[in-house]
Amino acid sequence: MYEFKPDDAFGFARHVNAQAHERNGELFFRLCPYCHPKPTRDNLNSFSINLRTGQFKCQRASCGAKGNLLTLAKDFDFSLGGEVDEYYRQMRQFRKLKTPDKPIEPKPEAIRYLSGRGISEDIIRRYQITVQTEHPNILVFPFLDPDGQMQFVKYRKTDFDRQKDNNKEWCQANCRPILFGMAQCNENFDRLIITEGQIDSLSVATAGMQNAVSVPTGAKGFTWVPYCWDWMNRFQEVVVFGDYEKGRITLLDELSQRLKCTVKHVREEDYKGCKDANEILQKHGPGQVRECVERAVAIPIGGVVDLADVEDIDIFKIPKLHTGIRQLDQLLYGGIPFGGVALISGKPGEGKSTLASQILVNAIHQGHKCFAYSGELPNYLFRAWIDFQIAGGSHITEYQNMWGDRNYTVSNTNRQLIADWYRGKCFLYDNRKVDGDEKESLLKITENVMMQHGADVILLDNLMTALDLDSGTGAFDKYDRQSIFVKKLARLALKHNALILLVAHKRKNNFTSNENDEISGSGDISNIATITIAYEKDKELRPDQRRLKVSKNRLFGKTETEGYIVDYDEKSKRIYGRGDDLMVDYGWDKTSNGFVQIDMDADCPFQ
């Protein structure tokens, strides 16, 4: 994922406050940041970073530190951008578990219990399953990474009683979530088999199948995906052997959307009326477990379905994102629907980006993972703007600058609390990245974030900067590329049931009364969108007011071309209309981890 850029080397030098100079394609540091030698003549400029490859090395024999920018990012807590950090630097600090010097020897109680579930003793020893010394009724499952390092530990009661016990399974707190069985896998093998429970993956292994792993936190927990995503995609295919419940196979829907490799699943009829792999092993033997894996089928791609088999869904109850603007949400029967592109248009400088970022804040507040691309703002300014909207007026300090103008600021403490509130929940495209074809890279990165992080609310601000239009051969080529780009966005939103907010300029001068025709660029853009929202000035309104219009509503047909009058608060950068609470509290100052739960129905006066 990471491609070295010379700016990263200079950024690292600033990060460690190093005196550095460039010479012959190398960035030399006056003192090595690893060994910190005394500043004698022989010790100066021993550390350098190659500005072409990103490789570094200290020439001092007593140090010899070497590696690349990813190494420096880990060792010195240096950020290479949100997406890279998530996979390489891992900004979240997990507890480090001690890896035993020798393989764990299973205790007799573990062998006795698991043997009773059909698991072979050889597999029990290979996967190092044991029980707690003081509590022999509690199984211990060690999660070792591909390098054999202990990362995660899970526990399970062998005598669980629903009447007396609160939990059947639990895990060690604050550990890096990974797949159980990674260390036991043969990475040269073509197939990976994923089950929901640890005893199920042991059952698959007992049946003689290689590369059987299981998820750490059940069917609904996918926090492990970013830490295993690269490893899983090394395999040619992944077979999902989830629990078969209520006509559905657990894990399948999520993994089929988030993995690039071929995803297969066990056929429903091969479960033979059983719930999971262990029940199949006990009732029908290892041969049937092998049959389940060997007969697994791929999910159809781009197939045709019978109209009668299409889901019967009430369109008024489909998932929607509350925008936080009451009148708009009421018109849209609860907010902007997922599965499409919402076009937000307006003339330059009139505030459409502010409206889009406020909708993004509401998405984070409602528990959605988000991804944003801002082609016109540097990363720090995008964050500063959105931090004001999250903070709210009561947490913003007003002061006068040297010219007597009003300025506003959010304290360092509050900025940190806000950062903790959205850490891991909102990702930003690093617009310092320079690619030959930004359009393709943006689309690829957007889908990667959807698959790897589960992001389902995407903000692209704006259309013109998201395209590399200079390489076009003429007006037709430019508009054609815009149309193709937006069509790809629409397919992406539909494929992942996501909401993509696309910001687009209006023409500075137009000669049409049709709101949708006023959008700058190809006429196809507004045709492809599910919702078209206009946010603009009006000479009849105050300077701090705007008119909010809905000129297209594909799902319900209701529009509002006259528009709602909304106000803008300069202090908090918040937009609000009739019935809206300017001082709405997002709860970041009450919790530093997790979402604030809100009553979704309470925000819908039309229900």
Side-chain angles (χ1 to χ4, degrees):
M1 288 183 57
Y2 174 68
E3 294 181 6
F4 170 72
K5 303 180 291 295
D7 284 347
D8 292 340
F10 290 98
F12 173 73
R14 291 191 295 270
H15 178 73
V16 296
N17 296 316
Q19 296 182 37
H21 66 276
E22 182 180 354
R23 186 175 76 244
N24 298 328
E26 298 269 337
L27 184 65
F28 287 88
F29 287 51
R30 184 171 185 268
L31 297 176
C32 172
Y34 281 95
C35 58
H36 297 287
K38 291 182 180 180
T40 63
R41 180 177 179 180
D42 293 337
N43 291 333
L44 296 180
N45 303 318
S46 66
F47 178 92
S48 65
I49 302 175
N50 187 300
L51 294 177
R52 183 178 61 84
T53 65
Q55 298 291 317
F56 72 85
K57 186 175 182 179
C58 177
Q59 300 294 339
R60 296 184 71 240
S62 59
C63 177
K66 61 181 179 180
N68 55 32
L69 259 292
L70 295 174
T71 311
L72 296 175
K74 293 178 182 178
D75 292 346
F76 293 91
D77 197 30
F78 172 59
S79 174
L80 291 169
E83 192 166 75
V84 176
D85 290 342
E86 180 68 26
Y87 296 98
Y88 295 104
R89 186 163 67 95
Q90 302 299 354
M91 295 177 67
R92 178 178 173 185
Q93 297 300 311
F94 291 108
R95 178 180 178 183
K96 292 186 177 180
L97 301 178
K98 177 177 174 56
T99 303
D101 296 331
K102 57 183 180 180
I104 299 170
E105 182 66 25
K107 291 184 170 64
E109 293 86 353
I111 296 175
R112 188 179 309 116
Y113 175 79
L114 291 172
S115 296
R117 298 286 297 265
I119 310 301
S120 69
E121 183 172 340
D122 174 63
I123 292 299
I124 298 170
R125 294 186 180 279
R126 183 182 171 197
Y127 285 78
Q128 305 181 44
I129 314 300
T130 189
V131 294
Q132 291 184 340
T133 302
E134 296 180 358
H135 304 283
N137 64 324
I138 298 178
L139 286 172
V140 181
F141 296 93
F143 287 59
L144 307 177
D145 65 21
D147 296 324
Q149 298 299 305
M150 184 90 73
Q151 298 288 356
F152 191 88
V153 179
K154 191 170 180 179
Y155 306 96
R156 176 189 174 103
K157 275 198 170 186
T158 59
D159 57 353
F160 175 70
D161 187 335
R162 294 183 182 276
Q163 303 298 323
K164 299 178 181 179
D165 300 322
N166 293 325
N167 296 311
K168 181 180 181 180
E169 297 180 331
W170 64 96
C171 57
Q172 198 80 23
N174 197 33
C175 294
R176 185 188 305 277
I178 64 171
L179 292 165
F180 173 72
M182 293 177 75
Q184 288 78 16
C185 284
N186 169 15
E187 294 186 24
N188 294 323
F189 200 65
D190 294 336
R191 180 173 58 200
L192 182 70
I193 306 161
I194 298 182
T195 69
E196 180 179 334
Q198 280 64 63
I199 294 180
D200 293 321
S201 59
L202 295 174
S203 301
V204 175
T206 294
M209 310 302 293
Q210 297 189 65
N211 300 345
V213 297
S214 50
V215 300
T217 52
K220 296 183 179 180
F222 290 92
T223 56
W224 55 270
V225 172
Y227 308 103
C228 304
W229 193 81
D230 289 326
W231 180 82
M232 286 188 295
N233 279 296
R234 295 176 189 172
F235 294 88
Q236 290 186 14
E237 67 179 37
V238 170
V239 174
V240 178
F241 201 156
D243 290 2
Y244 184 55
E245 300 175 308
K246 299 179 181 178
R248 300 182 68 86
I249 299 173
T250 59
L251 307 176
L252 181 59
D253 290 344
E254 190 82 13
L255 292 181
S256 64
Q257 293 186 36
R258 297 177 70 169
L259 293 179
K260 286 187 173 181
C261 54
T262 300
V263 176
K264 293 184 176 181
H265 65 89
V266 175
R267 301 190 313 162
E268 297 174 5
E269 57 266 34
D270 287 336
Y271 279 88
K272 300 288 185 182
C274 297
K275 175 188 174 185
D276 52 37
N278 184 246
E279 188 177 347
I280 295 172
L281 176 68
Q282 294 185 71
K283 289 186 176 181
H284 304 286
Q288 182 57 35
V289 175
R290 290 194 297 271
E291 189 87 353
C292 286
V293 176
E294 298 296 349
R295 291 163 60 91
V297 294
I299 299 173
I301 299 175
V304 176
V305 298
D306 192 310
L307 179 60
D309 294 331
V310 174
E311 306 98 305
D312 183 11
I313 295 177
D314 185 343
I315 63 172
F316 291 94
K317 295 181 180 179
I318 65 173
K320 304 180 187 71
L321 177 68
H322 298 338
T323 66
I325 298 177
R326 193 180 185 88
Q327 291 171 291
L328 179 60
D329 288 340
Q330 186 167 358
L331 176 74
L332 301 176
Y333 294 101
I336 305 175
F338 283 81
V341 175
L343 193 62
I344 300 176
S345 68
K347 291 185 178 179
E350 295 192 353
K352 58 187 179 300
S353 296
T354 301
L355 174 65
S357 64
Q358 181 169 313
I359 295 174
L360 197 73
V361 169
N362 278 275
I364 300 171
H365 181 52
Q366 292 165 45
H368 295 278
K369 293 284 187 73
C370 303
F371 173 63
Y373 165 86
S374 176
E376 297 183 339
L377 294 178
N379 295 345
Y380 67 86
L381 189 55
F382 180 88
R383 176 183 171 179
W385 200 267
I386 209 168
D387 281 356
F388 274 110
Q389 292 180 315
I390 295 170
S394 60
H395 295 285
I396 296 173
T397 303
E398 181 178 333
Y399 65 95
Q400 281 191 338
N401 63 20
M402 60 187 296
W403 295 281
D405 296 325
R406 284 185 299 178
N407 283 178
Y408 307 101
T409 186
V410 179
S411 70
N412 291 336
T413 299
N414 284 343
R415 284 205 303 270
Q416 185 58 53
L417 287 173
I418 291 171
D420 290 340
W421 180 73
Y422 56 56
R423 186 177 300 282
K425 304 172 184 68
C426 186
F427 303 90
L428 180 64
Y429 180 90
D430 189 353
N431 56 22
R432 295 169 298 183
K433 179 181 177 68
V434 179
D435 283 336
D437 190 347
E438 185 172 326
K439 179 190 72 170
E440 289 301 321
S441 67
L442 179 58
L443 284 170
K444 290 177 181 177
I445 289 175
T446 299
E447 184 162 25
N448 279 349
V449 175
M450 287 177 167
M451 294 188 296
Q452 296 169 239
H453 297 289
D456 61 355
V457 177
I458 311 297
L459 168 59
L460 302 181
D461 186 9
N462 63 60
L463 173 63
M464 303 306 290
T465 58
L467 291 169
D468 179 12
L469 298 180
D470 293 336
S471 61
T473 57
F476 172 80
D477 180 70
K478 178 176 73 172
Y479 295 137
D480 187 50
R481 292 182 61 172
Q482 290 178 16
S483 177
I484 292 172
F485 181 74
V486 179
K487 285 177 181 177
K488 287 183 176 180
L489 289 179
R491 287 197 293 269
L492 207 58
L494 188 61
K495 175 182 176 181
H496 296 280
N497 194 32
L499 169 58
I500 297 180
L501 305 168
L502 178 62
V503 178
H505 289 312
K506 279 194 171 184
R507 296 188 179 97
K508 293 182 179 179
N509 295 296
N510 59 78
F511 304 96
T512 174
S513 59
N514 188 319
E515 287 281 342
N516 297 320
D517 289 343
E518 291 182 358
I519 298 167
S520 180
S522 168
D524 284 343
I525 296 173
S526 57
N527 292 334
I528 297 167
T530 304
I531 302 287
T532 300
I533 300 170
Y535 184 76
E536 56 192 28
K537 287 183 177 180
D538 190 314
K539 61 183 180 181
E540 298 179 358
L541 303 178
R542 300 195 312 265
D544 62 338
Q545 291 182 320
R546 297 289 186 271
R547 199 173 292 277
L548 187 65
K549 302 178 182 180
V550 177
S551 55
K552 178 183 177 181
N553 183 354
R554 185 188 298 276
L555 197 61
F556 304 112
K558 289 179 65 177
T559 60
E560 178 50 65
T561 54
E562 292 298 320
Y564 303 113
I565 297 175
V566 293
D567 292 270
Y568 171 69
D569 178 53
E570 174 64 28
K571 186 176 184 180
S572 64
K573 321 299 181 192
R574 291 182 176 183
I575 297 166
Y576 61 101
R578 189 182 67 196
D580 295 331
D581 180 10
L582 172 62
M583 306 305 291
V584 60
D585 185 358
Y586 291 113
W588 54 267
D589 56 330
K590 300 178 180 63
T591 174
S592 61
N593 185 20
F595 298 113
V596 176
Q597 297 299 318
I598 61 173
D599 182 357
M600 305 297 285
D601 291 336
D603 292 336
C604 305
F606 48 84
Q607 289 187 350

